[in-house]
Amino acid sequence: MKILVAVKRVVDYNVKVRVKSDNSGVDIANVKMSMNPFDEIAVEEAVRLKEAGIATEVVVVTAGVSQCQETLRTALAIGADRGILVETDAELQPLAVAKILKALVEKEAAQIIILGKQAIDDDSNQTGQMLASLLDIPQATFASKLVIADGKATVTREVDGGLETIALTLPAVITTDLRLNEPRYVTLPNIMKAKKKTLDIVKPEDLGVDIVPRLKTIKVEEPPKRSAGVMVADVAALVEKLKNEAKVI
């Protein structure tokens, strides 16, 4: 059984992002980049499935600029077997990424496709769902538990009302939530081993994929600064302000 895992290179979650002076986007010049945290969970889960003898190979994929190789090497250090970079300087929107992944899933004949539920830069939460639709296979989003047995995946999902457990026939697309696992610490020996693992580079046109953007960003702005709160002496003063100033009661 082969598992394909999609990862994305994003601004590190510890970095305070800044909007460009021309409001055209987020400034990533000289900013620390790292693997999307949800994708790191996806890689960890795939590697655990391989260690349990359920999967035979874990292939990790990303799309973007040449520097994305660093993200793939991190995934290889966690325990993935091979890496594939779909190299392009073009803006990649969820539909384009889903098309790229569809081509690679068909080429690699992967039985399980695992992605993070969303990326922390655009928060789109669309790629996994689009991929499942393009492939016409089952999907389970927001997975907090995954069990593979007898050609089926049993997934516990986090939903608004609590937890939902569903069974899917393979192949299937699964997107990970935060509570699925805790990614391991990448050790130096594994980082060195990752440098020797296979990393293939292809272009979108090699896969026959159209990645032309369908959406255009008009303007990017920082959220307005919130005004300071007001301290009140007691409940009566709070009620008075809510009634006469805020006029919400």
Side-chain angles (χ1 to χ4, degrees), residues 104-125:
L104 289 172
V105 168
E106 292 173 342
K107 181 180 178 181
E108 294 287 339
Q111 286 76 47
I112 304 176
I113 305 95
I114 309 180
L115 309 83
K117 70 172 184 177
Q118 65 195 72
I120 63 172
D121 53 359
D122 58 17
D123 277 332
S124 291
N125 183 19

Side-chain angles (χ1 to χ4, degrees), residues 182-197:
E182 184 175 343
R184 69 194 67 188
Y185 177 77
V186 179
T187 61
L188 182 59
N190 286 334
I191 293 174
M192 300 306 293
K193 289 178 184 177
K195 293 181 179 181
K196 298 180 181 179
K197 293 183 178 180

